[in-house]
Amino acid sequence: MASLAIVATTQAEESAPTDLANPPEVVTLSQLAKLPPHPRLLANATRWRELREQVKTDADTAMIFKLLRGRAKSMLALPPVDYTADPHNILIAVREAERRILTFAVVYRLTDNPTWLEAARSVIQDLIAQPWPRGHFLDTAEATFSLSAGLDWLYDSLTPAERAAIIEKIHREALLASVTEEEKMGWIWADHNWNQVCNSGLVTGALVTTERDPALAKRIINRSIANLPRAAAAYAPAGVYPEGPSYWSYGTTYHVIQIEALRSALGSSTGLESFPGFLQSAASLDFLTGPTGEFFNHADNHKKRSYSAAALWFARENQRPDLARAELERVQQFAAQVEEEDNRELPLLLLWWRALPESLPKVPADPLNWRGESIQPIAVLRSSWSDPLATWLAIKGGTAHHSHAHMDAGSFVLEALGVRWALDPVRDNYSFLRAAGYKQEEIFNYVQDSKRWKVFRLGPEGHNILRFNGAPQNVDGHAAVGPIRESTDGATVELDLSPSYAGQVASAHRSATLRPDASIVLTDTWTTLEKPVEVTWQWLTRAVVTPEPGGVRLEQDGKGLRLRVEGDNPRVDIQQASSLLDPKIDSPLPEHTRITISISSPANATASLRVTAVPDKAP
């Protein structure tokens, strides 16, 4: 659950697909009347006892617990959570409270050290004292999960007055608030992460406070079960999460929280893990990770790949020791910074980890080349899984009119020799845009003339795409990614970008080929309409770029890559990204360079541009 700024898209404003006040009855009042005593959220008393023994007998559990306890110790020196830092919402503060409450509560459950109980109690009391915003329900949902976990895991150690205060806060500010003007709360049935996060957070609140209002708890739980499929449909068919890999971690983690909450409290997940593509989704992250260990960070995603409690859960659910081992190694890689990082998943990692027998059947090796069909389809070409200097290209189709999307149909990233040569700029901090005067609804408006597309990182300027007369892409277009064709000449994928440029050209296609020599060939072909068109090809990099005959040379980290350009009188330009930014709305992009290649294309004609990226010979 990386720290991401999330708001609902315009898609969430559609009318509710079900009767929210009377959802289908999957969970009954009779079942809720038989809930086990606390603790019952994610782990019952038996599981907590097992975990104490697991810390002693399992080296990986001991490693995670050592990191968690070290984080808890470092947190003791932190000042209280500041809920006034961002005047627009308290989400970042709520997440810090969540990180502290989960950490302190788990360490207390496993040590009985009253230091951790008092530390958790202090954060809980501060969170209760804050007014929770109604207009940005994500804050409320995460706050609800935080208090629910604190109440449940610390139940026997809290006073009756403390329990009552937590229960009343959850009941009034979360559960009751969610049924007030319910038909206007589009997150309930949205097709993106808000659905998963908000509904799951409220389900945890309902399960730990059921005795306060059983009928309301039943309504909240069944409402979520009825509407979660709207978001889960996005995993089909290949497990590619349309909002990208960082948002996969966020939305999917809360999805798993709901599954595990229902299992621990009611003994059944009600099938919430059975959606097409869902259980395969964690494995897709490996395809989206380059040899450098960084993600294809399209849309509003982080480039850094951190550890994920959800990924470890998927390894257990799919009986994949290989996935589990890779995730545990990722935890160890982040050990040095685990005390300071803002990842809130470390406590969940401990709860969800169970050693898997290495004797399980071996999973076939992943293919080098992979296509992930999705609302935002992606293709990946890779020369090797084992070579850290391998060539790896990830390219996407899709649309700009989707939650957290950018104007980037046809954009790609490229790694070779351990360097990312073509990149997607690191996501911006939305608090910067809010401070610059952007309203929340302007930042997350995906229509054609939205102010969102004026921001360099979000619009067409900051992506490795084609441009026709400098116009933005068509947000209502959807670029398809074709099947990967493999031959002795390499692996090739073609994208039909024509819908993304409707009205600008008659057709546009982009193909990418990974050759056996680890070079990449990018070929763009277009057919113009009745007027001439100025065509521009963009490539963003952090490398030092030097013009040379036939193209340019890129140098970074002591490595080199040549771009060889073939086309009808192409003109190459090298621009410092800083000169392209609007300081009022764009935060700095130091050391970023944009390479552009321009071609004048006559009316009613078909033309093409070919760029071959050739890495230097590996040392």
Side-chain angles (χ1 to χ4, degrees), residues 123-145:
V123 183
I124 288 171
Q125 290 171 346
D126 282 350
L127 183 54
I128 291 174
Q130 305 305 315
W132 293 356
R134 298 288 179 89
H136 199 250
F137 218 90
L138 214 63
D139 310 38
T140 294
E142 293 207 38
T144 299
F145 171 59

Side-chain angles (χ1 to χ4, degrees), residues 482-557:
I484 296 173
R485 305 187 306 274
E486 298 185 9
S487 70
T488 55
D489 295 327
T492 299
V493 64
E494 183 172 309
L495 285 71
D496 182 0
L497 301 173
S498 303
S500 301
Y501 299 106
Q504 300 177 34
V505 289
S507 65
H509 294 81
R510 166 168 282 182
S511 70
T513 299
L514 172 59
R515 289 177 166 173
D517 65 357
S519 65
I520 291 285
V521 181
L522 295 162
T523 304
D524 290 294
T525 304
W526 58 89
T527 299
T528 58
L529 294 168
E530 289 75 15
K531 294 182 179 180
V533 172
E534 185 72 11
V535 182
T536 306
W537 184 99
Q538 298 177 172
W539 172 301
L540 197 69
T541 185
R542 293 194 66 180
V544 175
V545 183
T546 305
E548 61 179 24
V552 295
R553 176 172 173 78
L554 283 66
E555 294 183 330
Q556 186 175 337
D557 300 335

Side-chain angles (χ1 to χ4, degrees), residues 465-485:
I465 61 174
L466 278 180
R467 306 284 298 280
F468 296 100
N469 290 332
Q473 292 182 334
N474 176 11
V475 300
D476 293 320
H478 186 276
V481 175
I484 296 173
R485 305 187 306 274

